[in-house]
Amino acid sequence: MGEFELIQRFFTRPTRHAVLGVGDDCALLAPAPGMQMAISSDMLVSGRHFFPDVDPRTLGHKALAVNLSDLAACGARPVAFTLALALPEANAAWLEPFSQGLLALADAHGCELIGGDTTQGPLNICITVFGEVPAGQALLRSGARAGDDLYVSGTLGDARLALEALQGKITLPPEVLAQTRIRMDQPTPRVALGLALRGVASAAADVSDGLLGDLGHILQRSGVGATIQTENATHLIAACAHSTGATGLFGLEISANKALQCVLSGGDDYELVFTAPAHRRAAVQAAAQSSHTPVTCIGQVDAAPGLRLVDAAGAAVANDFASFDHFA
Ligand code: ADP
Ligand code: MG
């Protein structure tokens, strides 16, 4: 199978919204009047972002999911994407499930594959997504204000728990590993919540490298600080649903500190962290309901710079939870 047969067979589909899709030198998009385009790229490198033997179907899903998550964080509606692919070989048995996982998620969000590039090389997947947002309504990292509530969507920490179990650092019961592994391999981009938070959230980001690090970007760009109640944060780890109360935290052989570490600094969850003025609490709950996405208030934005962790009694909790940094 040659390069062009590969593109034709696995990555060429009729477009419905784009003016021109795969097959020419460029694709063409026509943004609707009054809309801005939100654009973001994410690259997944074998051995760096995923295990080389990962199921190609889940890899296809994840490659697009992490990009859609950026659109979600901006409150943008997915429109289209391009796929730049380096492959060791043109293997149909791998490409078939990869393209199926990718395109199933694309279809679920009405996001069209409009072009890309294909080359031989070490497995590497780079996607660029294009989304639409009414002019001036994108959710930015820079809008958090002192006094705002601080929220996260869904659950946090389970992807990290699965990673540590697969690396042999911790032991999880098989059913808990299976559950948490879905979170690591097949994240759910919070697109509907991002759209519902337009005009409600003051700032937002998606959690890809760890809550504290990604929240840190919001705080820095907004020129504010924040306090997190660790009690609320610890309960965000979904593995607690498997609590038997037998041993350790949630019945698992992990310490409370390990759970907190997974929640605060574990990456790969692709939830949203966002802020909203206290008087918009009802609107935040309405956004959560309409998007069928749970949200939890975990703290407040402060005028004083820096990030503080406090326990249920308000006492300071030592913060030695580092986020992921490729070059640190
Ligand atoms: P060029 O030589 O102009 O860069 P290519 O020959 O690489 O174009 O690609 C031919 C067409 O196939 C282009 O429209 C390009 O966008 C598309 N394409 C290439 N690789 C992919 C891919 N992995 N997924 C989707 N479209 C692709
Ligand atoms: Mg060309």
Side-chain angles (χ1 to χ4, degrees):
M1 178 170 45
E3 175 187 338
F4 297 100
E5 186 194 339
L6 185 163
I7 296 166
Q8 178 61 35
R9 194 163 148 198
F10 297 106
F11 302 116
T12 304
R13 308 176 96 211
T15 50
R16 303 161 104 240
H17 299 290
V19 178
L20 184 65
V22 170
D24 215 304
D25 293 302
C26 291
L28 294 173
L29 287 177
M35 302 298 262
Q36 290 175 330
M37 292 239 96
I39 302 165
S40 179
S41 296
D42 257 309
M43 181 154 65
L44 266 67
V45 177
S46 180
R48 190 78 198 160
H49 299 94
F50 56 88
F51 296 111
D53 62 347
V54 69
D55 173 7
R57 189 180 305 271
T58 63
L59 184 60
H61 173 102
K62 183 164 180 175
L64 183 59
V66 303
N67 278 279
L68 292 177
S69 178
D70 285 312
L71 292 183
C74 280
R77 184 181 300 286
V79 173
F81 70 106
T82 60
L83 170 68
L85 201 54
L87 294 168
E89 52 177 350
N91 176 1
W94 190 92
L95 281 159
E96 183 81 49
F98 173 81
S99 63
Q100 284 171 355
L102 177 85
L103 296 172
L105 184 65
D107 287 346
H109 288 276
C111 191
E112 302 181 325
L113 177 56
I114 56 168
D117 196 24
T118 306
T119 171
Q120 203 270 330
L123 183 57
N124 190 326
I125 305 154
C126 183
I127 287 179
T128 298
V129 279
F130 302 83
E132 263 187 349
V133 59
Q137 287 187 34
L139 304 177
L140 306 181
R141 294 178 172 183
S142 51
R145 296 292 173 259
D148 284 359
D149 292 326
L150 173 61
Y151 297 88
V152 293
S153 66
T155 63
L156 285 176
D158 297 281
R160 172 66 167 268
L161 214 52
L163 178 65
E164 297 210 356
L166 293 172
Q167 289 173 335
K169 294 183 186 165
I170 58 169
T171 309
L172 295 177
E175 70 279 10
V176 177
L177 176 58
Q179 201 77 31
T180 53
R181 196 169 177 174
I182 291 175
R183 295 282 299 162
M184 182 178 87
D185 287 339
Q186 290 176 272
T188 304
R190 300 300 191 184
V191 173
L193 178 63
L195 293 175
L197 286 174
R198 280 184 198 158
V200 177
S202 49
D206 67 325
V207 181
S208 54
D209 296 330
L211 174 63
L212 296 190
D214 291 312
L215 171 60
H217 299 310
I218 290 181
L219 302 182
Q220 199 196 359
R221 292 195 71 105
S222 300
V224 292
T227 302
I228 292 179
Q229 280 97 35
T230 56
E231 180 77 2
N232 296 350
T234 308
H235 290 286
L236 288 170
I237 197 158
C240 72
H242 296 270
S243 171
T244 62
T247 49
L249 189 75
F250 316 137
L252 306 177
E253 299 287 344
I254 57 172
S255 66
N257 194 60
K258 168 60 73 182
L260 191 58
Q261 183 200 15
C262 288
V263 169
L264 296 180
S265 66
D268 258 6
D269 291 302
Y270 299 97
E271 294 292 351
L272 298 185
V273 52
F274 62 96
T275 60
H279 70 269
R280 302 306 309 274
R281 273 176 201 164
V284 169
Q285 291 311 321
Q289 277 199 341
S290 70
S291 63
H292 307 289
T293 312
V295 303
T296 307
C297 181
I298 57 162
Q300 272 74 41
V301 177
D302 308 323
L307 191 53
R308 288 156 291 279
L309 305 180
V310 297
D311 65 15
V317 174
N319 178 2
D320 53 0
F321 304 103
S323 268
F324 188 74
D325 180 331
H326 278 284
F327 295 102

